[in-house]
Amino acid sequence: QVRLVESGGGLVQAGGSLRLSCAASGKIFVINTMGWYRQAPGKQRELVATKTTAGNTVYSDSVKGRFTISRDNAKNTVYLQMTDLTPEDTSVYFCYADGGSEILPPFVSWGQGTQVTVSS
């Protein structure tokens, strides 16, 4: 089982910045994709950004140009640098990871979520 632990959420004013971090841990695993999703009250969970180990990156249109995803593959950690935040970015942000290999079983893991609140 791969455990994901997020940190870095909080309260920020509109126009401000926050950086989220998520570290993966477990016995033996191979990660392919790490990323972030978010879920606001009453809404479905939505993709924010993902990045594969090979470096392929996907961003939702709503965060392009404002958010940057990065990874430290050696530390099994993913970061989300969020800038120019708006109240519409207020959500619980969930870390995501999937992976597996020819000899290790596939997995999908989620973090417990970290609250990001942007005040106007």
Side-chain angles (χ1 to χ4, degrees):
Q1 185 176 0
V2 178
R3 182 173 179 239
L4 303 177
V5 178
E6 302 122 331
S7 60
L11 173 64
V12 64
Q13 288 188 333
S17 300
L18 278 176
R19 187 188 193 218
L20 305 182
S21 301
C22 171
S25 63
K27 285 189 174 180
I28 301 174
F29 56 94
V30 173
I31 294 176
N32 178 30
T33 301
M34 294 190 80
W36 297 90
Y37 287 70
R38 67 186 182 186
Q39 187 168 18
K43 294 188 177 181
Q44 289 188 332
R45 190 172 297 189
E46 63 175 4
L47 169 76
V48 177
T50 61
K51 192 175 184 77
T52 67
T53 301
N56 297 313
T57 302
V58 174
Y59 290 98
S60 72
D61 288 342
S62 62
V63 307
K64 279 181 183 176
R66 300 188 299 122
F67 291 10
T68 302
I69 188 170
S70 61
R71 284 180 57 176
D72 185 333
N73 293 331
K75 295 182 178 180
N76 293 318
T77 300
V78 63
Y79 306 94
L80 186 69
Q81 180 66 50
M82 304 184 290
T83 62
D84 194 22
L85 286 159
T86 73
E88 288 69 37
D89 295 315
T90 296
S91 281
V92 177
Y93 285 70
F94 294 91
C95 182
Y96 166 90
D98 68 38
S101 71
E102 292 180 353
I103 59 173
L104 292 173
F107 72 90
V108 174
S109 292
W110 293 91
Q112 79 283 0
T114 186
Q115 178 70 46
V116 171
T117 302
V118 184
S119 63
S120 57

